[in-house]
Amino acid sequence: MLHGVALKPAKSRKSSTLSGTVRIPGDKSISHRSFMFGGLASGETRITGLLEGEDVINTGKAMQAMGARIEKLGAEWIIHGTGNGALLAPEAPLDFGNAGTGCRLTMGLVGVYDFESTFVGDASLSRRPMGRVLDPLRDMGVQVRSSEGDRLPVTLYGPRTPNPIVYRVPMASAQVKSAVLLAGLNTPGVTTVIEPIMTRDHTEKMLQGFGAELSVETDGNGVRTIRLEGRGRLTGQRIDVPGDPSSTAFPLVAALLVPGSDVTIENVLMNPTRTGLILTLQEMGANIEVLNPRSAGGEDVADLRVRASELKGVTVPAERAPFMIDEYPVLAVASAFAEGTTTMLGLEELRVKESDRLTATATGLKLNGVDCDEGRDTLVVRGRPGGKGYGNPAGGAVETHLDHRIAMSFLVMGLVSEHEVTVDDASIITTSFPEFMDLMTGLGARIDGLAGEAA
Ligand code: S3P
């Protein structure tokens, strides 16, 4: 037992041709922000295409606990927000489960309020560093009580008048950038975030859509300065959430690897801060056709036709890491089947995800026969096209450490390995992609849960 819930192992087996057309559930980052900004804005927000994974639902519950009214009518989520600056003190600790984004962004959103809020989460979230968000909040005048090393549980108490800060984000993190901006929403004056390395820009775009006075300036070196005028009015919006490119990665890599496959994935978010994996796979020789590119709700969206391809190893530069940060485990799986060596650089942030993803990926690859080396912030994979000898015939299970993306990546690996690949827990997949099993098996993937449950 890792999280008080019995683990649910699963395994995948060599599959023949994957084919069909699928629609991926809504983007997780945009779904979290839709609940948050809708819950905060004046008037009504209507959301379609929302990701109904556990992570996002926890964010919705937190917004309800702070005064937002949220209901689902047919396919639409309808939110009546409190109005900016008018969140209510939550009566009980806010439980974010497995979700770093929900927790860290909400800490920014409510931490500056002149009342107490407490944040808790599961075993994975409770291991993750919160200091990266708590430090700028302290600068704004927030009192913090936290467990050792700035871990959860965390209790925040904001000042009567928060202090607008100029904050240079010390690591490439959209969560940290967003937490400071959201704190700025209830802070008088201009809060400024300097972002030396660009990360996903959903917070900036969506806040502008809700009517915030927010400007972005980019200098000749790509350093972005984001200025937000605090205590302005936000107005409810209509949002159609596009499909999650990070979830798309799993059927996409599976279709590339399983010989003869031809899969179309519809309505995928193509925001350039999220398409690093597609670019990398194309450099590796992947046949990914971008069809019907269009703009929807201020975001680029397209359909992707993916056909099985012979891949070759490449070097993935460190600068690309922020644009494909959640996709390295599944890229590592793709690399294991490529001709030659793939070298991934600049991976230090992988160590503070739902698991230490660098170690979890390298350990899982080795367990299943892949030749790879884990460095401090690098991963080198020497591929073997065809996957002969891959998998673990003894049934040794990949340890997922409560990390949904580790579970899904290794289940993709089993579809092209000579022997079965087993993961110790598939239940965690529901945090981001509840439809994963059905969608993959619908395409022809041989994945199943194991009878009996491991302790
Ligand atoms: C996210 C930012 C990224 C990403 C996470 C979602 C967001 O985290 O890994 O899955 O929605 O802002 P970091 O900001 O820690 O890189």
Side-chain angles (χ1 to χ4, degrees):
M1 295 249 193
L2 256 179
H3 49 126
V5 179
L7 302 183
K8 222 172 114 198
K11 64 181 172 183
S12 56
R13 275 169 293 158
K14 205 171 176 70
S15 305
S16 52
T17 308
L18 304 184
S19 62
T21 297
V22 290
R23 208 178 160 89
I24 293 289
D27 184 63
K28 181 147 76 80
S29 294
I30 294 180
S31 295
H32 277 300
R33 288 161 174 81
S34 299
F35 265 163
M36 283 179 199
F37 304 164
L40 187 66
S42 303
E44 191 179 89
T45 290
R46 288 178 173 256
I47 312 168
T48 48
L50 186 92
L51 170 66
E52 297 178 4
E54 281 170 15
D55 281 7
V56 173
I57 297 301
N58 283 330
T59 292
K61 286 183 183 161
M63 294 309 295
Q64 279 176 321
M66 294 188 290
R69 280 193 288 128
I70 302 182
E71 58 179 342
K72 193 174 178 198
L73 265 185
E76 227 178 18
W77 287 85
I78 301 170
I79 307 180
H80 292 271
T82 58
N84 186 25
L87 291 175
L88 303 176
E91 283 172 6
L94 302 171
D95 187 349
F96 288 93
N98 192 251
T101 304
C103 184
R104 293 195 176 118
L105 268 59
T106 307
M107 281 179 171
L109 186 68
V110 72
V112 286
Y113 278 67
D114 184 14
F115 55 62
E116 193 173 282
S117 51
T118 295
F119 298 76
V120 298
D122 73 2
S124 155
L125 191 56
S126 302
R127 283 192 298 264
R128 298 179 69 184
M130 295 297 153
R132 50 181 53 204
V133 167
L134 300 178
D135 286 341
L137 290 180
R138 288 179 174 113
D139 293 347
M140 298 176 93
V142 178
Q143 291 179 50
V144 177
R145 279 203 315 274
S146 59
S147 302
E148 216 194 315
D150 272 344
R151 302 296 203 270
L152 297 183
V154 164
T155 297
L156 303 179
Y157 206 115
R160 189 154 300 155
T161 311
N163 177 33
I165 57 171
V166 177
Y167 194 69
R168 193 178 173 91
V169 186
M171 68 289 287
S173 169
Q175 291 178 359
V176 175
K177 162 179 67 178
S178 302
V180 177
L181 289 172
L182 299 194
L185 285 174
N186 191 35
T187 299
V190 177
T191 294
T192 306
V193 174
I194 300 170
E195 188 180 44
I197 301 167
M198 186 175 183
T199 60
R200 66 190 68 194
D201 58 357
H202 309 304
T203 297
E204 298 92 300
K205 282 184 156 175
M206 290 179 69
L207 281 179
Q208 284 171 333
F210 276 83
E213 273 187 53
L214 181 147
S215 67
V216 183
E217 231 178 82
T218 308
D219 75 10
N221 298 319
V223 177
R224 300 171 80 232
T225 300
I226 307 158
R227 293 187 184 85
L228 173 77
E229 178 76 49
R231 302 205 162 157
R233 185 182 161 86
L234 302 180
T235 309
Q237 298 295 309
R238 275 183 181 275
I239 301 168
D240 188 18
V241 182
D244 194 328
S246 298
S247 299
T248 298
F250 302 106
L252 189 156
V253 167
L256 287 175
L257 296 181
V258 176
S261 296
D262 186 348
V263 169
T264 298
I265 307 168
E266 291 180 339
N267 193 39
V268 181
L269 172 67
M270 295 292 281
N271 177 313
T273 63
R274 303 289 300 280
T275 49
L277 176 73
I278 294 176
L279 179 63
T280 301
L281 290 170
Q282 284 172 331
E283 288 174 0
M284 294 173 82
N287 184 342
I288 304 171
E289 222 181 315
V290 178
L291 303 172
N292 196 14
R294 54 204 185 267
S295 177
E299 289 287 4
D300 295 335
V301 170
D303 305 326
L304 302 177
R305 181 171 179 195
V306 187
R307 276 167 279 189
S309 309
E310 283 172 19
L311 303 179
K312 58 179 189 336
V314 294
T315 294
V316 189
E319 306 82 76
R320 201 176 294 159
F323 300 162
M324 53 181 297
I325 191 65
D326 291 334
E327 281 69 80
Y328 282 100
V330 77
L331 173 66
V333 166
S335 314
F337 295 87
E339 180 77 53
T341 301
T342 297
T343 304
M344 296 164 238
L345 304 171
L347 306 187
E348 61 274 9
E349 279 293 306
L350 287 197
R351 299 221 179 261
V352 290
K353 295 297 175 189
E354 285 82 330
S355 66
D356 174 343
R357 271 191 189 151
L358 191 40
T359 295
T361 301
T363 308
L365 289 175
K366 286 177 188 160
L367 180 77
N368 288 289
V370 179
D371 180 12
C372 66
D373 293 320
E374 172 190 350
R376 189 182 53 84
D377 62 355
T378 57
L379 181 62
V380 176
V381 178
R382 284 169 285 275
R384 192 188 303 159
K388 187 140 181 54
Y390 281 175
N392 195 301
V398 174
E399 285 187 61
T400 51
H401 302 283
L402 290 182
D403 190 331
H404 52 129
R405 299 202 198 279
I406 297 295
M408 290 185 278
S409 299
F410 282 97
L411 289 174
V412 168
M413 180 176 181
L415 307 179
V416 255
S417 296
E418 185 183 0
H419 310 291
E420 290 173 356
V421 170
T422 306
V423 300
D424 68 355
D425 181 39
S427 65
I428 197 69
I429 293 172
T430 54
T431 59
S432 72
F433 196 171
E435 303 81 350
F436 173 79
M437 292 288 189
D438 286 346
L439 186 144
M440 295 296 291
T441 52
L443 290 172
R446 297 171 73 197
I447 305 180
D448 33 53
L450 298 180
E453 291 182 332

